[in-house]
Amino acid sequence: MTAARREAVILAARYTSDDAEPGLRIGEACRRALHSAYSVGLTLAVDAALAQRVSLCAVGPLARKGEELQISLGEGPCVQALSQRAQVLVDDLDDPAATRHWPVFAQQAKAHYIRAAYALPILNGADRARQAGLVLTLYRHRPGPISDADLQVAQDHADAADLLLLATPVPTEDELVHAWLLPADAVVHQAIGMISYRHSLTTGQALALLRAHAHTQATPLTGLARAIVGGHVTRFDPPASGAGES
């Protein structure tokens, strides 16, 4: 066992018996331990497109928006980290080469003062096709490289979160869809339910469809959800079978 892994075990043990949400506590502890100021997001995803995921924490002023944008757009550093099964360390969101996999996220993130992002995936198992796992993402309001010390701190906390999740039951699809939605986003719950009922879709499929339409129309996810619930959008057909397949 490496020194870093020993630190992860110590961190995990510290929060195993904690009454509070362990994911949130790990995120808060990570943010306090970092040498520079970052916001911290922690995501558990079943697929690389983030159609099914649980947002375990969003700590700091930038993380909530960063996490929301990734689930709304289906792109971002977390998505890339899962797809490529590797760390994604982007020092400057103004660098088009670094953000070529998520240009829309980069543009919108900068509008919310996110200037750098670093995603650290924890991927268990050898099945590359599944592309699922846990990702700890750091968001920063200024460009520049992350220090080795902060990268190690973040990795320790990501490993600790992974150890805690080993003892957690695998969530159902409904839990995965709804867990990332905070109470203020109740209208999105309603829209997902309406789409699911109207088109005989699972909640995961309904979320993916809602997100796809929001992306196509360049509309925030919550804005489109309000239009659906309010009856302003009455036609919401799923894409034709096989559409978009090569």
Side-chain angles (χ1 to χ4, degrees):
M1 181 179 293
T2 65
R5 196 62 177 176
R6 283 197 298 271
E7 180 62 25
V9 171
I10 294 170
L11 287 168
R14 185 178 302 165
Y15 298 110
T16 297
S17 59
D18 202 305
D19 293 334
E21 290 292 333
L24 178 60
R25 293 298 301 274
I26 286 286
E28 291 173 338
C30 179
R31 188 169 188 239
R32 289 196 303 269
L34 293 166
H35 297 81
S36 297
Y38 297 86
S39 292
V40 179
L42 187 62
T43 299
L44 175 63
V46 166
D47 60 83
L50 296 187
Q52 297 183 58
R53 71 128 193 201
V54 174
S55 183
L56 300 175
C57 83
V59 181
L62 304 180
R64 166 73 187 265
K65 180 52 65 175
E67 297 288 291
E68 284 182 350
L69 285 174
Q70 292 195 86
I71 189 62
S72 296
L73 299 171
E75 66 174 51
C78 178
V79 180
Q80 183 182 342
L82 284 174
S83 299
Q84 298 183 348
R85 303 176 71 85
Q87 292 182 354
V88 174
L89 309 177
V90 177
D91 301 341
D92 191 344
L93 267 62
D94 275 327
D95 182 355
T99 63
R100 64 185 182 279
H101 295 291
W102 30 280
V104 179
F105 172 88
Q107 180 183 19
Q108 295 194 21
K110 286 187 294 182
H112 293 279
Y113 309 105
I114 299 173
R115 296 298 310 278
Y118 315 90
L120 312 180
I122 305 296
L123 299 149
N124 295 312
D127 184 2
R128 297 183 66 87
R130 188 165 180 262
Q131 297 180 335
L134 180 73
V135 182
L136 188 147
T137 307
L138 303 180
Y139 303 92
R140 194 168 65 186
H141 71 283
R142 60 180 175 81
I146 184 172
S147 69
D148 291 341
D150 279 343
L151 189 60
Q152 186 61 69
V153 166
Q155 189 67 63
D156 288 343
H157 285 78
D159 287 340
D162 183 50
L163 291 172
L164 288 174
L165 288 173
L166 290 177
T168 303
V170 177
T172 65
E173 181 183 53
D174 281 346
E175 290 170 335
L176 283 164
V177 169
H178 295 303
W180 64 269
L181 293 168
L182 299 180
D185 301 317
V187 67
V188 181
H189 287 277
Q190 292 177 275
I192 289 171
M194 292 172 67
I195 296 167
S196 177
Y197 176 77
R198 289 174 182 173
H199 301 291
S200 300
L201 300 173
T202 68
T203 51
Q205 292 169 333
L207 170 59
L209 182 59
L210 179 66
R211 191 182 63 193
H213 278 255
H215 194 180
T216 300
Q217 299 173 18
T219 301
L221 201 67
T222 52
L224 180 57
R226 290 191 188 97
I228 294 168
V229 173
H232 303 297
V233 175
T234 57
R235 184 175 179 83
F236 200 77
D237 295 329
S241 177
E245 294 180 0
S246 57

